[in-house]
Amino acid sequence: MTQWILAGVLGVLFTLGTYLVLRRDVVRVVWGVTIISQSANVYLVTMGGLAGVAPIGRFGEEGAATPTDPLVQALVLTAIVIGFGTTALALVLTYRVYEEHGTIDVYDLGRGLVDGADDADRDRGPVEGGER
Amino acid sequence: MASPVVVAPILVALATAVLTLVTRFDARAQRATSVLGGVAYFAVVAVLFDRVVLSGPTVVPYYVSNWPAPYGITLVADALSAFMLGLAAVVGLAAVVFGSTYVDEFGQRLSYHPLFHFMMAGVSGAFLTGDLFNLFVWFEVMLMSSYVLVLFYSGREHTRAALNYVVLNLLASAVMLVAIGGLYATTGTLNMADMARRLADPAAYGVELAPTLGLASLLLAVFALKAGVVPFHFWVPAAYRAAPAPVTAVLAGVVKKVGVYAIIRLFFTVFAGGAYANTATFAYVGPILALMAGASIVYGGVGAVGRDDVDGLLAFSSVGQVGFIVLPLGVGMAAPDLTVAFAGAERTLAALGVAAALVYAFNHALAKSLLFLASGTLHATVGTTRLDRLGGLAARTPLVAASFLLGGLSLIGVPPLVGFFGKLLVFRTATEAMAGGTPGAGVALAVALGGAVLTIAYVTRAWNAVFWGEPSETVRTVLPERWRGVGAGGDAATDGGTNGGGSDATDRALAVQVTTLVALALCIVGFGVGVEFVVDAAAHAAHAATDTQGYVSAVFDPATQPGGEGGGH
């Protein structure tokens, strides 16, 4: 039973994440990316199997002979830490985009990209005020 | 035979990154540390290369914390890893020297050097790891630094490019995680050698093969995004234009190749043995990869011809050139067992395809990083890279012009430069496949030829517009006469444009940059004249990549495995 519920939850999470990633608002896009990476984590945990007991030295008790695979939980811990860092960066980046462009609408940003291609000179060098 | 020299590149890069953080209050010490770190990295990679390739090609595993193979993380250095590390070391050293004069003082102190070396650590880890999840972790180390480096100047264009780059790569990371989890569930292992062993003999290990095909396709999409192959290319031009020139050189020269490396390692070494419904993995993936490569060649070539600035042209060219790298891989997969005589032995077409991809990747790494660095120098001297504002620079900066020309000619593939031999091998792979009656190989050959013509077109266009003809208005204002470098005194006229007050310091900085360019150009000529070295190394690497059995037995060699039960700590 558990696996059916989890499969359903994963489906809903991935759908929700994809829906948000396709929004125009950059903040929603970042939320979408976060939800997708979290659902990848949940998916990863389910890959270790759901039937076993907790893998902490109680093998053979509680009627289950095999413990759940602990490796996937270690993987997920690593993935969560990485996801935390990247999400923080993405949020700060969103704020910087708002500061630079005055908008977080993906369409507006994209339109600027087309116009910007003909801008006099992209500041490839340090930004204004920076020391040379 | 397990040897700590395998981890050395990662450790050197990490140590350098930390030391540049410690020394950041003294700009000179930090620069010195950073450059010395680049030199040390080069030296360590040379030792590893000697150990793994030159003194008889071997596969050297390293068991982290002495845990035996399928349980702990295994690092594996074989000829393929060593070849890619060599490429990273050459480009990395050039970029770190160039960057120490190109990036402004404040930026260097703030974050440039540590980030650069963390990125190199991520790249080295990705090349060396023998564990699928560990590959994901090193990808993230590399990407995290590259996010910040793309965002380095934090202007309008940079934030937008970085947003694009970050969101796409975060999605790719999630997809990669899903694929890795699925592969773990179906094969029961994360160790690449173990996985290869299980996929080659699914019945013995109780592996169900059908799901792994879909999971492998997910991984292919992720790696194609890292490599910037069409249809996953759209982050490339903006990100390459936003990052500082030395970073772009590494992004295009090395980070892109990590995607290519991952495709080779996983599909030629790990998944090669697998078959689904009596059809080999290769037969599914090969045509798709060849199609993507062909699309990249055409898209990148046409895009580059139409750009009006050097950076944009080079960025689109990167998309096209990576197509040339991936094309022989796809063609090689389409007829993997065809035997061809190559590098003094009978080899399979798959091995020839990998060798062609590697030689081409080496050429692209040298030539494209040289061109991006030259574009950076143009920005530092003239203040623009727009084609319609430049012109006649050949007379003002002859060394930059000569280096640019050599890089461009190598991209085109003019003998005796490395690029010629890379293109030759790519064409050879396609013609051999065609001779062997592989359907579609003729189309691949035609696309490659068309792409070569497009390369000639855009390189000629860039050269003509930037260096040839009469000096343009901008060039006349900024560089009234020939730039003579250090000691030329006040008339050296570097005091215009964005340089804000020419001085001995800017002159010295430019001298270092030009020296780097010339050194890279000499590398292109040198490796072209002594191309046997490169081709032999690539042939060894290709053999290592396609020799799944050798890889597996080296990792599980009982003589090298750390002591049986449980291992040490």
Side-chain angles (χ1 to χ4, degrees):
Chain A
M1 191 59 203
T2 327
Q3 64 265 47
W4 294 112
I5 296 174
L6 266 173
V9 167
L10 277 173
V12 171
L13 278 176
F14 273 114
T15 314
L16 194 64
T18 313
Y19 174 75
L20 284 173
V21 164
L22 297 174
R23 299 278 80 196
R24 285 175 65 166
D25 183 342
V26 174
V27 176
R28 297 218 172 117
V29 172
V30 173
W31 282 126
V33 170
T34 314
I35 289 176
I36 285 185
S37 60
Q38 292 309 320
S39 32
N41 290 344
V42 177
Y43 166 86
L44 211 52
V45 172
T46 64
M47 288 298 111
L50 301 163
V53 295
I56 6 177
R58 300 176 65 189
F59 311 151
E61 290 178 35
E62 298 175 15
T66 47
T68 307
D69 187 350
L71 180 66
V72 285
Q73 301 177 10
L75 300 188
V76 164
L77 271 182
T78 316
I80 287 175
V81 173
I82 294 173
F84 174 73
T86 45
T87 307
L89 178 79
L91 285 174
V92 173
L93 179 56
T94 310
Y95 181 63
R96 284 292 300 146
V97 166
Y98 178 70
E99 277 191 338
E100 288 294 326
H101 299 270
T103 176
I104 47 169
D105 184 295
V106 175
Y107 284 16
D108 290 348
L109 288 171
R111 219 170 291 130
L113 191 65
V114 176
D115 300 340
D118 290 319
D119 274 349
D121 263 322
R122 284 176 321 282
D123 32 342
R124 170 64 174 274
V127 277
E128 310 84 309
E131 286 285 301
R132 257 275 163 181
Chain B
M1 285 244 303
S3 162
V5 75
V6 176
V7 270
I10 305 176
L11 292 182
V12 167
L14 278 179
T16 314
V18 173
L19 284 177
T20 48
L21 272 177
V22 174
T23 52
R24 77 178 186 283
F25 297 107
D26 183 345
R28 286 175 66 102
Q30 190 192 33
R31 258 200 303 269
T33 315
S34 185
V35 172
L36 278 178
V39 174
Y41 183 81
F42 187 89
V44 167
V45 167
V47 170
L48 183 65
F49 191 83
D50 175 65
R51 171 80 195 274
V52 178
V53 182
L54 297 183
S55 46
T58 48
V59 182
V60 185
Y62 177 80
Y63 305 95
V64 177
S65 298
N66 257 354
W67 287 94
Y71 306 113
I73 292 170
T74 314
L75 301 177
V76 187
D78 63 356
L80 177 62
S81 312
F83 188 93
M84 301 308 281
L85 281 171
L87 182 156
V90 174
V91 176
L93 183 57
V96 82
V97 172
F98 190 95
S100 65
T101 62
Y102 179 81
V103 177
D104 58 304
E105 196 99 331
F106 178 69
Q108 288 197 34
R109 282 177 61 171
L110 194 64
S111 60
Y112 174 78
H113 291 293
L115 285 172
F116 187 91
H117 290 283
F118 276 126
M119 186 162 76
M120 293 307 283
V123 167
S124 324
F127 286 152
L128 284 170
T129 186
D131 182 281
L132 204 50
F133 189 79
N134 200 230
L135 181 71
F136 167 79
V137 173
W138 287 120
F139 266 19
E140 291 302 311
V141 170
M142 173 185 92
L143 287 171
M144 198 69 183
S145 329
S146 72
Y147 296 152
V148 185
L149 284 170
V150 166
L151 192 56
F152 195 68
Y153 292 132
S154 307
R156 277 176 68 82
E157 295 301 324
H158 316 115
T159 47
R160 190 160 48 194
L163 185 70
N164 212 336
Y165 183 59
V166 170
V167 168
L168 277 174
N169 276 299
L170 289 186
L171 283 176
S173 299
V175 172
M176 188 172 174
L177 216 49
V178 168
I180 289 172
L183 280 171
Y184 179 62
T186 38
T187 63
T189 183
L190 286 168
N191 186 293
M192 289 185 198
D194 200 19
M195 194 178 285
R197 187 166 70 170
R198 286 162 185 245
L199 286 177
D201 190 6
Y205 292 95
V207 175
E208 202 185 332
L209 282 176
T212 51
L213 177 62
L215 297 164
S217 315
L218 282 183
L219 281 183
L220 183 72
V222 173
F223 299 151
L225 179 89
K226 309 280 185 254
V229 185
V230 171
F232 304 105
H233 60 280
F234 25 80
W235 58 272
V236 173
Y240 282 16
R241 285 197 297 203
V247 173
T248 311
V250 173
L251 285 182
V254 181
V255 172
K256 225 170 209 245
K257 309 300 183 293
V258 175
V260 175
Y261 165 81
I263 291 177
I264 297 177
R265 174 61 83 214
L266 284 194
F267 284 89
F268 284 83
T269 312
V270 179
F271 299 141
Y276 313 95
N278 296 322
T279 315
T281 324
F282 277 170
Y284 291 104
V285 182
I288 299 175
L289 207 55
L291 194 69
M292 284 160 67
S296 297
I297 291 175
V298 173
Y299 176 87
V302 172
V305 169
R307 301 313 296 174
D308 55 1
D309 64 318
V310 179
D311 289 341
L313 186 143
L314 292 177
F316 272 91
S317 151
S318 280
V319 176
Q321 298 291 317
V322 87
F324 276 105
I325 298 173
V326 176
L327 188 72
L329 296 180
V331 173
M333 284 181 186
D337 300 323
L338 214 62
T339 48
V340 287
F342 163 63
E346 286 283 308
R347 291 171 199 273
T348 59
L349 190 69
L352 176 63
V354 173
L358 290 176
V359 175
Y360 205 99
F362 184 70
N363 161 54
H364 179 247
L366 288 181
K368 193 48 70 65
S369 52
L370 164 61
L371 293 175
F372 270 120
L373 293 180
S375 154
T377 305
L378 290 185
H379 222 288
T381 44
V382 190
T384 179
T385 65
R386 283 177 60 88
L387 296 178
D388 54 3
R389 297 220 197 148
L390 291 167
L393 274 171
R396 306 290 162 101
T397 54
L399 282 176
V400 178
S403 313
F404 190 95
L405 184 64
L406 276 171
L409 290 179
S410 194
L411 268 195
I412 292 175
V414 174
L417 306 175
V418 197
F420 169 71
F421 300 98
K423 274 224 166 72
L424 193 68
L425 281 172
V426 172
F427 289 146
R428 167 109 197 267
T429 312
T431 44
E432 294 280 3
M434 206 162 73
T438 313
V443 181
L445 185 64
V447 169
L449 281 171
V453 173
L454 285 172
T455 314
I456 298 175
Y458 63 71
V459 170
T460 320
R461 184 159 170 269
W463 166 262
N464 281 346
V466 177
F467 295 102
W468 220 233
E470 282 298 303
S472 68
E473 190 64 40
T474 319
V475 172
R476 272 202 297 273
T477 333
V478 181
L479 275 178
E481 53 187 271
R482 184 174 162 185
W483 178 71
R484 290 197 198 79
V486 185
D491 62 357
T494 43
D495 55 339
T498 54
N499 281 313
S503 62
D504 280 357
T506 43
D507 257 6
R508 257 200 309 279
L510 282 175
V512 171
Q513 294 178 13
V514 172
T515 314
T516 318
L517 294 180
V518 171
L520 272 177
L522 288 179
C523 273
I524 288 177
V525 178
F527 281 117
V529 172
V531 77
E532 271 150 48
F533 176 75
V534 179
V535 172
D536 274 350
H540 286 315
H543 179 71
T546 48
D547 182 18
T548 307
Q549 200 49 51
Y551 186 80
V552 171
S553 52
V555 171
F556 291 108
D557 186 358
T560 59
Q561 286 269 20
E565 299 297 301
H569 287 276

